[in-house]
């Protein structure tokens, strides 16, 4: 039972890190990644496909650029 508890704690810790990584991401408001994409790209519903993170970062950059251009008009 002690070994099982240790494995469970390890699994919960890993799960917590994965959730924290995405839940606290600054790009969350512009992120279009869904659980299905995560599963297909990483094999894990809580995985983080790096290229989709880059996509979200570029999308945010474009939105900021557009917003700055509109504020100068």
């Amino acid at each position: 039972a002690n070994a099982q508890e240790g494995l469970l704690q390890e699994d919960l810790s890993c799960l917590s890190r994965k959730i924290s990584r995405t839940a606290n991401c600054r790009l969350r408001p512009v992120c279009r990644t869904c659980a299905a994409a995560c599963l297909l790209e990483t094999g894990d519903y809580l995985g983080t496909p790096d290229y989709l993170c880059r996509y979200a970062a570029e999308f945010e950059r474009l939105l900021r650029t557009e917003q700055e251009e509109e504020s100068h008009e």
Side-chain angles (χ1 to χ4, degrees), residues 11-22:
D11 287 347
L12 289 175
S13 177
C14 180
L15 180 62
S16 177
R17 283 191 306 275
K18 286 181 179 181
I19 291 172
S20 178
R21 179 179 176 195
T22 56

Side-chain angles (χ1 to χ4, degrees), residues 1 11-12 19 26 34 38 47 54 56-58 66 69 71 73:
D11 287 347
L12 289 175
I19 291 172
R26 69 176 182 79
C34 67
C38 292
R54 291 190 305 273
E58 179 63 11
E66 186 175 314
E69 288 173 359
S71 69
E73 292 179 0

Side-chain angles (χ1 to χ4, degrees), residues 3-53:
Q4 286 178 334
E5 287 177 17
L7 288 174
L8 179 59
Q9 286 298 93
E10 200 173 302
D11 287 347
L12 289 175
S13 177
C14 180
L15 180 62
S16 177
R17 283 191 306 275
K18 286 181 179 181
I19 291 172
S20 178
R21 179 179 176 195
T22 56
N24 297 321
C25 181
R26 69 176 182 79
L27 297 172
R28 189 93 174 126
V30 295
C31 182
R32 297 180 178 195
T33 303
C34 67
C38 292
L39 179 63
L40 289 172
E41 296 295 330
T42 68
D44 185 348
Y45 282 109
L46 296 174
T48 307
D50 290 332
Y51 83 94
L52 289 174
C53 293

